[in-house]
Amino acid sequence: MSMIERVWKKAKADVKRIVFPEGDDQRTVLAAVKLREEGLAKPILLGEEAAIRAAAEKAGAELGDIPLIDPAKSEKTEAYAQALYELRKAKGLDLEGARKLAGDVMYYGILMVQLGDADGLVSGAVHTTGDMLRPALQIIRTKPGIRIVSSSFLMTCPNPELGDEGLLVYADCIVNPCPTAEELAQIAVTTARTAHDLCGVEVPRVAMLSFSTKGSAKHELVSKVQEAVRIAHELAPDLLLDGELQPDAALVPEVGARKAPGSPVAGRANVLIYPDLQSGNIAYKLTQRIGGADAYAVLQGLNKPCNDLSRGCSVMDIVNTAALTAVQAQASGK
Ligand code: ACO
């Protein structure tokens, strides 16, 4: 069974409510219908009702009993505004400002998740990453014990010899432009957990990537990764994690044996931690476009699940991201 088939099976076993702030997007409407038909999630669409219905008609989708909520008219908007005001008044938000924000589809959706009226959120078919991330960070915040939110890209590669039968988990490719050594270490530990808990990777083997392997180059950028390795070992002594490693040493057994002999990770890594957002984001897009991998993104470290799409996403990308969100919601309810 593939990673995504396992995710679908789990999502169906305990169906969660997933809210979509972009209810007037045709792909989102089609995805919501598919999610309901497949029993993967209970979708909720946000937006102006007429605009959602028009999108459904254009897409040829039957909305049936899918709840449609217009934040500009909802009876809950005032309560959400009050809750937002309480959460953010120390940061200078006044009640009028909170009312305005609560009437926005993105803030409304994130407040639904925060206040328990939905179990998770998926957006990004229309909005940018920052449009969703900023309110999610401000309102939902991090899980206890986790200092930063980051992302994992689940890359399913055509070559089964790579990673975990073709699955590689990349981080961070979405959130943190320039992580410190401490933040890189935290990202590594959190990503290993995502690989295990969400993707079913039995033994995560984490490679901390660089342009150097085990001191082959000297540079302050390399020193940062070496420091991150040291901190990650302190944070999670039992985790199989090594670095700094170049990607060939991390992935190819013969190269790993030559460049990093004795490493528990080299040549067999299934989790790749990139030193910054430029390298991570570039790597995932190249793996997808040149390497022919399928890519699924999840945010990790948020106290409740909210996930981002690429604006070029397909209907099935939205369906799969919602299924992953639902499985994250099952775990956050425990
Ligand atoms: N983890 C936890 N909290 C965070 C994080 C983080 N990684 N980053 C910011 N925060 C908190 C801040 O402490 C702040 O909290 P506060 O307001 O309660 O004090 C709040 O979130 C907002 O932070 P700001 O600094 O105001 O927000 P910022 O303008 O830095 O935006 C953001 C944060 C959106 C994550 C920014 O770093 C960003 O734009 N990252 C890159 C996103 C991106 O464009 N990715 C690439 C494309 S995605 C793709 O290709 C699929």
Side-chain angles (χ1 to χ4, degrees):
M1 200 185 284
S2 74
M3 189 270 298
I4 209 69
E5 284 167 345
R6 277 199 304 270
V7 166
W8 275 43
K9 195 172 164 202
K10 269 196 194 172
K12 287 178 184 188
D14 177 13
V15 181
K16 295 293 178 188
R17 299 159 302 166
I18 305 297
V19 62
F20 295 89
E22 297 159 334
D24 54 4
D25 170 72
Q26 288 185 45
R27 291 162 298 169
T28 303
V29 170
L30 286 167
V33 170
K34 175 91 176 158
L35 286 161
R36 189 199 47 194
E37 276 171 9
E38 295 283 349
L40 285 164
K42 292 180 188 156
I44 302 164
L45 296 174
L46 301 186
E48 216 180 286
E49 191 175 331
I52 301 173
R53 293 203 182 279
E57 202 180 321
K58 266 195 195 156
E62 198 56 63
L63 285 170
D65 58 1
I66 295 175
L68 313 182
I69 301 175
D70 182 350
K73 295 185 182 152
S74 163
E75 62 196 20
K76 289 205 165 175
T77 306
E78 178 59 23
Y80 286 4
Q82 295 285 345
L84 179 58
Y85 168 64
E86 289 304 324
L87 280 169
R88 299 297 296 173
K89 64 183 176 192
K91 293 279 172 181
L93 184 68
D94 62 19
L95 191 51
E96 257 334 285
R99 285 194 174 113
K100 215 165 151 195
L101 290 175
D104 170 78
V105 284
M106 193 62 71
Y107 274 82
Y108 190 97
I110 285 166
L111 284 159
M112 280 185 84
V113 176
Q114 172 67 13
L115 298 174
D117 290 332
D119 302 306
L121 173 142
V122 174
S123 84
V126 181
H127 291 78
T128 66
T129 302
D131 289 340
M132 187 274 270
L133 256 178
R134 205 165 288 109
L137 292 170
Q138 290 172 349
I139 294 166
I140 293 181
R141 311 196 73 87
T142 54
K143 277 189 204 301
I146 292 194
R147 292 221 329 269
I148 62 161
V149 169
S150 58
S151 66
S152 274
F153 255 101
L154 322 178
M155 311 295 302
T156 55
C157 307
N159 179 357
E161 287 175 15
L162 288 170
D164 198 60
E165 293 172 21
L167 174 69
L168 290 168
V169 183
Y170 287 11
D172 173 19
C173 310
I174 299 184
V175 184
N176 300 281
C178 211
T180 63
E182 287 78 11
E183 288 170 342
L184 262 186
Q186 170 97 75
I187 290 168
V189 174
T190 309
T191 307
R193 214 168 286 151
T194 297
H196 182 269
D197 297 352
L198 187 64
C199 311
V201 174
E202 253 174 65
V203 184
R205 284 186 291 271
V206 184
M208 305 293 281
L209 296 183
S210 171
F211 59 84
S212 164
T213 297
K214 297 285 185 179
S216 64
K218 307 237 173 303
H219 191 278
E220 60 191 90
L221 293 173
V222 176
S223 308
K224 181 170 99 172
V225 179
Q226 290 168 340
E227 176 65 359
V229 171
R230 191 190 64 70
I231 299 167
H233 282 312
E234 275 178 19
L235 289 175
D238 296 333
L239 179 62
L240 296 181
L241 176 146
D242 202 8
E244 84 289 4
L245 295 169
Q246 290 159 284
D248 57 348
L251 294 172
V252 184
E254 309 82 73
V255 182
R258 203 173 320 121
K259 288 188 172 181
S263 166
V265 168
R268 296 185 299 152
N270 46 36
V271 175
L272 303 184
I273 305 300
Y274 292 86
D276 62 21
L277 191 54
Q278 301 237 41
S279 52
N281 193 272
I282 291 167
Y284 109 73
K285 286 189 190 284
L286 289 180
T287 310
Q288 189 182 29
R289 300 289 169 180
I290 299 178
D294 287 326
Y296 309 94
V298 290
L299 293 177
Q300 52 194 13
L302 271 178
N303 209 10
K304 297 186 177 186
C306 294
N307 283 316
D308 184 41
L309 300 158
S310 158
R311 275 169 289 166
C313 64
S314 66
V315 173
M316 283 316 291
D317 291 334
I318 304 176
V319 169
N320 288 325
T321 303
L324 284 160
T325 310
V327 174
Q328 285 181 305
Q330 292 170 355
S332 67
K334 282 176 190 155

